[in-house]
Amino acid sequence: MTVQIEELLKAFELNNPYLKFYLNKNDGHMALVTEIPGDDKAENEVTAHPDAYIKLPTQANLDLPEMIKGFVPMMKDPKQRAAFQQSIEAGKTVTQLERELKDMGLVQFWYTFQRMEFRKIAKKWCEDNHVAYEE
């Protein structure tokens, strides 16, 4: 099975706790499933054949705060860098931190950095799960 890195990135970029991507082990196609805690599982291809699919991680499964720490040294303005480091140490949520970056005019740089990091994670995920990938 071979998957496209761009397809895996869709799962990593998804920031909705109710939507999950699954990868078909046979053909590499992805399936999007709505999973609402407490609800009965909807009948779909994934629930009908659970052993044929691998659940992909989403942002909720990734260590975004750690990624954000890696972004701090890239900030050119020392005052912004110091203020943002303090926000991280104060334990602000990823949403709050992204809002700060937006207020600083840096959110686009963060999204570019995040996408590069997601690409690395996608490749590592493929290696760990013995999945071939194409870029």
Side-chain angles (χ1 to χ4, degrees), residues 15-82:
N15 202 14
N16 185 322
Y18 304 121
L19 300 177
K20 308 290 183 209
F21 275 109
Y22 287 83
L23 184 68
N24 186 299
K25 293 177 186 176
N26 298 320
D27 60 19
H29 286 111
M30 291 181 42
L32 180 62
V33 176
T34 302
E35 295 180 358
I36 300 174
D39 281 3
D40 291 334
K41 290 199 179 244
E43 188 61 31
N44 56 51
E45 189 62 25
V46 174
T47 56
H49 306 284
D51 293 339
Y53 288 87
I54 304 171
K55 188 175 187 178
L56 295 177
T58 62
Q59 283 193 25
N61 308 110
L62 303 176
D63 195 354
L64 290 182
E66 194 59 38
M67 284 171 57
I68 288 178
K69 287 179 189 174
F71 179 70
V72 173
M74 301 174 71
M75 298 171 74
K76 292 181 180 172
D77 184 309
K79 288 181 183 175
Q80 286 180 332
R81 194 168 49 241

Side-chain angles (χ1 to χ4, degrees), residues 7 9 18 87-88 111 129:
E7 292 295 307
L9 291 178
Y18 304 121
S87 295
I88 292 170
Y111 289 142
N129 290 280

Side-chain angles (χ1 to χ4, degrees), residues 3-14 21 23 28 30 56-57 118 121-123 125-126 131-133:
V3 297
Q4 295 288 324
I5 289 291
E6 290 300 317
E7 292 295 307
L8 292 177
L9 291 178
K10 288 180 187 176
F12 296 158
E13 291 171 349
L14 188 67
F21 275 109
L23 184 68
M30 291 181 42
L56 295 177
F118 282 172
I121 291 168
K123 289 178 181 179
W125 185 88
C126 285
V131 174
Y133 63 86

